[in-house]
Each structure stands twice: as C-alpha cells, then as structure tokens.
Amino acid sequence: MEFIDLRSDTVTKPTPEMREAMAAAEVGDDVYGEDPTVNRLQELAAERTGKEAGLFVSSGTMGNLIGVLCHCERGDEVIMGNLAHTFLFEAGGISALGGVFPHTLPNQPDGTLNLIDIQSAIRMEDVHFPKSKLLVLENTQNRCGGAVLTAEYTGQAVELAHRYHLAVHLDGARIFNAAAALGVDVKELTGPVDSVTFCLSKALCAPVGSVLCGTKDFIYKARRLRKQLGGGTRQAGVLAAAGIIAIETMSKRLGEDHARARRLAEGIANISGFSLAFGMPSSNMVFIDMAPSVKYSAQEAVAKLMEDGIKIGISGERRFRMVTHYWINDEAVERTINAFSRLAG
Ligand SMILES: Cc1ncc(COP(=O)(O)O)c(C=O)c1O
C-alpha cells in the first residue's frame, strides 16, 4: 500500500531532480575541504542566511550541538525554551558531551520566550552561579504547533542577549518555512543571530544533512568540533548536491505545504470530536486534540488510520501531529479528512 505519511516532514524522500544531481555530483575529500559540491552548498547556505561561512553537518541535532559547544565552555548555562527541540529531543547531548547546563523558560503559545523571563534568567557575575553564555531560539517552534517567530521578536531577543554579552544560536530547522509563512527573506530572521542551523532534510526534501552558519572564526571552531564528534565526512558532495536543490528550488514551494496544512486543519476541526490544539497552523504542522466523545484511544485511532493507509504522529495523550510536505498532495489531504470523519463515527 502507498501510505500517506504525515508523521513528519523528515519522511520526505529526495526528488527525481535531486537523485540526478546526486549521481552527477563532483566530489572530493571534504575533511581536506576539497569537495567542490560541499563547498558550494556551504557558500550558498551562508549567503542565504547572511553569514560569513557555513558547515555541512549530518543532522539538525549535530548542528545544534556543535553550535552550543562552540559558544559555551563546560559549566556554562544556556537559556532555552522548555519546549525547545534541543531541550526535549536531542538526547541531552549538550550536557552529556559539553557539560553545558540548560536553563529552561516557558515557551509562550506563540513559540517565543518572554523577554522579561530572559532578562531575569541571565545571571550576574557571582562565584555561586554558572555563567550565562547563550540564548537558543527555535523558528519555527515545533512543539508550539510550528509557530513562527517574527524578525521583530528575533531582533528584540538578540538585542537583549547581546546587551548582557550572551550569544544567540537559532535552531532554524525549518527557517525556510518561517520565512515562507511571513513572506520575508530568510536573512531577516537569521541576520541578527550569531549562529543558525537549518535542515535540508525536512520540508526541503534532501535525504541527509543540515548546515550550521556563522562567522568564519565560529565555523573554523565548529569544523574541529565536528571532527571530534566523528562527523567529518569524505565525498559528501553526493549529499550536498541534493542540499543545493533543497535551498535553490524546494524552499520556494513551501507556501503550498502551509496552504495544505490549513486545509487539513480546517477539515478535521469541522468534524465533531476533533479540535485544533494550537489554532490554525501558521506553517506546515497541524496539531489535533481528540475529545473523549471519540471512542478510541490515540493509539487505537492511529491504528485505524493506518488501516486507511494514513500515518500520523501522537504527541500527547489524545493529541496528534500531522506535518505536510512535498509528497502530500490535495488528494492526500482530502483522504485524511475523510478518514478522520470515519473515526468520529
Ligand atoms: C525544531 C527541530 N530542531 C532540530 C531537529 C533535529 O533534526 P535532526 O532530526 O536532523 O537531528 C528537529 C527534528 O525534527 C526539529 O524539529
């Protein structure tokens, strides 16, 4: 059976154009800095994010980990949301591997951290305290429903952090979705921060990889850290070739995914027993709550949908997450809405 896979945009497979480019990619040894396709991808990523340099890394997790470890020493403190991917879903890597201490603040429903909360969390110099070194923001904010942080908010948060000599790292796994949702250039969202990671392998459809961007000095340090983590790869140009198409071509079509997410949200919210957990989606994520009036548990509902050839994720006791992407067309959206109607009975 051909499944409609809405569990995440990470399930996207490379497009035929990507596969052709991968087969034809010019490659070299990237640990020597000699892979021309990786170099081209890194330059392109830096140019798009308004940074001096970029570094191809295996995953968003690795990009965030290297980003945090570049900015912090052991025992330093990093301020981030209690719903940040780096806090929830990156296996505690910043602490396990870097001895870095997370100081979490409540994410607001719009994905932001309160500026007053940030200011209060920043430690003054005192031998009893860890040193506040870094603020991590996430855009789009996954667990807040794919919420989009504006350029204005980003600028304010960065200005505040810099006033207290903290650096700012942006987990921009889906920063191209944020830019598409706001109708702005990615640079407006990434320009103010000191470093940013974005993913090629989610909505942008590349099979592997993320790019970490920052100053030349920062990326030099990041390259050593990537090596220490075992993430220096050789003829990675076969992957970077898909990454170039991800940025140049796939980033331009994300509005379609957002429109389908809205249609999916609206269709399911009209069915009795289902409601939107975070309101209408602002990007490509739809979170749905299922009322007790629906006779199934979340697991049973997922199993029922699976029988209809639809895969969705569970993100709470009676909450589901669906993510639209390149391989989800209008028909898949309508089939999913109909399958939810059958669940309602
Ligand atoms: C917001 C966010 N940041 C980082 C990541 C990590 O990316 P990866 O799965 O490539 O490690 C994800 C993955 O879904 C994510 O949603």
Side-chain angles (χ1 to χ4, degrees):
M1 186 193 306
E2 181 88 12
F3 280 97
I4 295 170
D5 198 342
L6 287 156
R7 288 171 301 165
S8 177
D9 48 11
T10 58
V11 303
T12 47
K13 294 181 180 153
T15 63
E17 189 193 357
M18 283 178 175
R19 288 179 190 267
E20 265 176 45
M22 291 169 78
E26 224 188 303
V27 295
D29 189 329
D30 181 47
V31 173
Y32 294 155
E34 287 175 5
D35 188 303
T37 312
V38 171
N39 290 340
R40 198 145 58 82
L41 169 68
Q42 292 174 163
E43 281 159 24
L44 177 64
E47 187 265 311
R48 288 296 161 94
T49 54
K51 301 292 167 212
E52 287 175 7
L55 185 71
F56 185 53
V57 292
S58 322
S59 65
T61 300
M62 183 183 268
N64 288 334
L65 175 60
I66 295 176
V68 172
L69 300 196
C70 267
H71 288 295
C72 299
E73 306 286 329
R74 297 187 73 78
D76 286 345
E77 195 170 63
V78 47
I79 297 171
M80 64 177 76
N82 62 340
L83 300 177
H85 195 277
T86 303
F87 179 62
L88 292 177
F89 301 120
E90 295 177 11
I94 60 167
S95 301
L97 302 169
V100 178
F101 199 54
H103 183 153
T104 58
L105 301 176
N107 274 107
Q108 301 303 305
D110 65 358
T112 61
L113 301 176
N114 235 316
L115 295 179
I116 307 278
D117 288 351
I118 297 174
Q119 187 159 12
S120 312
I122 298 172
R123 315 263 193 177
M124 55 182 170
E125 177 54 36
D126 185 307
V127 73
H128 295 88
F129 297 157
K131 290 182 184 160
S132 305
K133 274 288 179 62
L134 180 68
L135 169 68
V136 171
L137 300 175
E138 184 176 314
N139 196 6
T140 63
Q141 216 300 341
N142 187 337
R143 285 290 131 170
C144 292
V148 175
L149 308 189
T150 62
E152 191 193 2
Y153 170 78
T154 307
Q156 287 169 349
V158 171
E159 191 277 318
L160 170 62
H162 284 177
R163 207 183 322 143
Y164 291 92
H165 309 293
L166 271 73
V168 181
H169 174 75
L170 177 64
D171 175 357
R174 297 181 181 81
I175 198 66
F176 283 93
N177 290 88
L182 293 166
V184 301
D185 191 287
V186 163
K187 270 196 205 94
E188 289 191 36
L189 304 174
T190 55
V193 302
D194 299 284
S195 58
V196 53
T197 304
F198 71 89
C199 294
L200 302 162
S201 61
K202 298 191 166 63
L204 301 182
C205 277
V208 178
S210 293
V211 191
L212 174 65
C213 298
T215 63
K216 278 193 181 136
D217 286 350
F218 175 89
I219 292 300
Y220 183 81
K221 193 171 171 189
R223 185 173 275 277
R224 182 187 297 271
L225 273 160
R226 185 183 69 173
K227 188 70 188 153
Q228 288 176 334
L229 293 169
T233 49
R234 304 295 175 174
Q235 288 72 32
V238 289
L239 301 172
I244 291 168
I245 293 169
I247 297 175
E248 287 186 334
T249 306
M250 303 307 282
S251 65
K252 296 191 181 133
R253 55 154 305 285
L254 297 173
E256 289 174 35
D257 297 342
H258 298 179
R260 290 196 178 101
R262 287 195 297 274
R263 167 66 196 136
L264 187 61
E266 175 195 64
I268 298 174
N270 275 333
I271 303 167
S272 157
F274 295 99
S275 58
L276 300 175
F278 300 108
M280 276 306 264
S282 33
S283 60
N284 66 340
M285 295 189 184
V286 183
F287 284 75
I288 297 286
D289 282 338
M290 182 169 68
S293 59
V294 182
K295 63 183 183 216
Y296 301 112
S297 68
Q299 288 73 14
E300 287 165 344
V302 164
K304 281 268 163 208
L305 291 169
M306 190 81 105
E307 286 169 18
D308 279 331
I310 296 162
K311 296 185 186 180
I312 68 167
I314 297 179
S315 76
E317 207 190 325
R318 293 182 73 79
R319 179 168 291 177
F320 306 110
R321 188 186 77 158
M322 282 163 272
V323 187
T324 54
H325 53 75
Y326 180 68
W327 299 102
I328 299 297
N329 58 20
D330 291 336
E331 192 206 328
V333 168
E334 297 310 318
R335 267 182 58 194
T336 305
I337 296 169
N338 290 337
F340 268 86
S341 300
R342 284 193 290 281
L343 270 186

